[in-house]
Amino acid sequence: MSMIEHAVVIAGGGPTGLMLAGELALAGVDVAIVERRVNQELAGSRAGGLHSRTIEVLDQRGIVDRFLSQGQTGPAVGFHMIPLDISDLPTRHPYLLALWQNHIERILAGWVEELRVPIYRGREVTGFTQDDGGVDVTVSDGTALRAQYLVGCDGGRSLVRKAAGIEFPGWDATTSWLIAEVETAQEPVWGFKQDAAGTHAIGRGDGGHARMVLTDRQLQSSSEPTLRDLSDALIAAYGTDFGVHSPVWLSRFTDMSRQAATYRAGRVLLAGDAAHVHPPMGGQGLNIGVQDAVNLGWKLAQVIDGTSTERLLDTYHAERHPVAARVLKNTMAQVALRRLDDRTKALSDIVSELLGMDEPRRRLAAEMSGLGVHYDLGDGHPLLGRRMPDLDLITADGPLRTFTLLHDAKPVLLNFGASMNVEVAPWRDRVQLLDAKYAGAWELPALGAIAAPTSVLIRPDGYVAWVGMETQEGLAEALTTWFGSPRSSPASE
């Protein structure tokens, strides 16, 4: 069999793999996905929503309406069953979008198809060997692929991570839950119920199914439960099994929390659940996976086209590992607060009181929604390393939203003060330069009002790489760090 070459091969076509493929395709990279499923259909609805920052990221690419039109918005994120109001956070999308993962994937797959990304369906990556020039990838049907880089977006049990020899340290499970989407003969008891085992919930799923999450009485390791297991658990919790039948999806999850020791081993990278697993409290997993992809995509594209050296890839781990580490921490805290002894209840009461106060609520809501992410790019203006707000700009060509400038995933130098063409000339082929005016207030989630900058350098992922306050000091250095060495002669106009 002949070898097929691609610049990047992505193992896994879930939300993270799809988002990464889209990002790379926007940058003109030859990328392909290897996906186990023969189509995008998903058994069970899985993750249930998109957080504010993920919605912003989709808005940055001009595809957010596809998602908003399919889901329901709600004003709060949940921490330990406590709703945290986010409607006053400074974003165009101060809400959670309730939309099941099967719909999220379907919409992302449609976008990736428009970008003409090939997907090798009905097969999976079974192994690889890497050398100085690339990676030889073996696929279950015997196809041989050759790539410059391989990215494992193949989930918590990632073969790519294991084959790369990347450690997956963390915490073993202490609790397990049964999750099911089933039909019932009798009307179930909707809502939440607490008993000696913990919290149980039955809600309405897609297509009239009941969607159940039941806390196991003892930790169970099998991730393949049976209908009988579900029936027994329901009888233990509710005294009846409501005549459950015809399961669409039956699974088990635990509070195991683990994180890849490194997100990169040579030419192999990890993103999404392959890099971090944790219990689904607060619905953060899918969201941080998609955001991993948006952090990695433009960096990988610049390395492939020779704009940047491989050193840029080290910033992927440096920036995204702490984000997932923090999610592991807040989900572990939420599981700990679910214990039913009196001392934990006392702790839970105090946490609830604290989260009733504005400052803790805003801070944790910004964290859970992804709006509070701060990459450590050094000291300086509070915008540095944080997301660029979607301002309503006034330009020579009329009104413009900041996020519109990011639709093609290209960096932008936004200038609110005097013109600065001279300094930027050697990067003009890579960075969009725009003079604009902005009349409103500058405000960041959890931080509040900030000083208005005179210029900002925005990366393709929407994070601010440099801030100018009446000066261009440090701009050439930031441009070199993020967007490669200056061309020897200014690009012709």
Side-chain angles (χ1 to χ4, degrees), residues 254-288:
T254 73
D255 66 333
M256 178 175 78
S257 301
R258 296 187 176 280
Q259 189 176 16
T262 178
Y263 283 15
R264 176 179 171 220
R267 292 180 168 272
V268 177
L269 296 120
L270 303 176
D273 291 357
H276 41 75
V277 297
H278 52 85
M281 316 304 165
Q284 300 165 91
L286 180 151
N287 288 272
I288 60 169

Side-chain angles (χ1 to χ4, degrees), residues 223-240:
S223 60
E224 306 298 327
T226 62
L227 190 59
R228 175 70 196 269
D229 294 335
L230 178 67
S231 173
D232 290 347
L234 284 166
I235 290 165
Y238 293 90
T240 169

Side-chain angles (χ1 to χ4, degrees), residues 177-477:
W177 292 267
L178 264 173
I179 187 162
E181 282 174 51
V182 287
E183 293 183 28
T184 59
Q186 294 104 44
E187 179 98 353
V189 177
W190 304 107
F192 291 95
K193 175 178 172 39
Q194 277 200 310
D195 66 9
T199 306
H200 313 289
I202 305 179
R204 297 172 204 273
D206 276 355
H209 295 116
R211 189 181 150 90
M212 306 177 169
V213 182
L214 308 172
T215 308
D216 282 318
R217 282 171 156 41
Q218 283 94 32
L219 174 65
Q220 303 290 333
S221 53
S222 152
S223 60
E224 306 298 327
T226 62
L227 190 59
R228 175 70 196 269
D229 294 335
L230 178 67
S231 173
D232 290 347
L234 284 166
I235 290 165
Y238 293 90
T240 169
D241 67 2
F242 306 111
V244 285
H245 64 95
S246 314
V248 178
W249 185 44
L250 262 178
S251 192
R252 198 174 248 123
F253 65 88
T254 73
D255 66 333
M256 178 175 78
S257 301
R258 296 187 176 280
Q259 189 176 16
T262 178
Y263 283 15
R264 176 179 171 220
R267 292 180 168 272
V268 177
L269 296 120
L270 303 176
D273 291 357
H276 41 75
V277 297
H278 52 85
M281 316 304 165
Q284 300 165 91
L286 180 151
N287 288 272
I288 60 169
V290 167
Q291 291 169 48
D292 288 343
V294 175
N295 185 287
L296 176 59
W298 65 276
K299 295 174 180 176
L300 196 50
Q302 286 184 186
V303 171
I304 284 165
D305 74 12
T307 298
S308 299
T309 67
E310 275 200 12
R311 281 212 307 274
L312 186 61
L313 293 179
D314 295 331
T315 69
Y316 167 60
H317 172 93
E319 291 177 355
R320 294 304 298 171
H321 192 277
V323 172
R326 185 70 193 177
V327 171
L328 260 66
K329 192 168 232 181
N330 82 43
T331 52
M332 285 170 70
Q334 291 180 72
V335 171
L337 285 166
R338 286 194 170 198
R339 293 189 197 120
L340 296 167
D341 62 281
D342 290 340
R343 287 177 174 83
T344 305
K345 279 184 184 149
L347 175 62
S348 175
D349 289 345
I350 292 203
V351 169
S352 301
E353 282 170 27
L354 289 173
L355 291 179
M357 301 173 193
D358 264 357
E359 170 71 15
R361 168 188 64 86
R362 276 201 201 103
R363 184 151 320 182
L364 195 57
E367 179 180 323
M368 304 281 293
S369 63
L371 293 171
V373 167
H374 178 217
Y375 298 139
D376 183 8
L377 304 188
D379 296 330
H381 193 280
L383 266 175
L384 188 64
R386 288 190 167 88
R387 69 182 245 302
M388 179 67 186
D390 185 25
L391 310 176
D392 287 304
L393 305 172
I394 300 151
T395 73
D397 298 327
L400 184 69
R401 286 172 49 192
T402 309
F403 283 3
T404 306
L405 296 167
L406 294 169
H407 284 188
D408 299 328
K410 295 273 187 297
V412 184
L413 181 59
L414 255 188
N415 191 26
F416 301 101
S419 195
M420 46 182 3
N421 294 357
V422 186
E423 182 92 29
V424 188
W427 288 272
R428 282 299 288 274
D429 58 332
R430 283 164 268 174
V431 179
Q432 310 168 72
L433 183 62
L434 184 74
D435 293 323
K437 292 189 168 38
Y438 172 63
W442 286 78
E443 196 187 348
L444 288 178
L447 291 187
I450 57 168
T454 49
S455 41
V456 285
L457 177 62
I458 309 166
R459 309 191 317 192
D461 56 3
Y463 288 82
V464 175
W466 171 86
V467 181
M469 298 294 280
E470 309 288 351
T471 166
Q472 299 186 32
E473 191 188 338
L475 176 57
E477 192 185 349

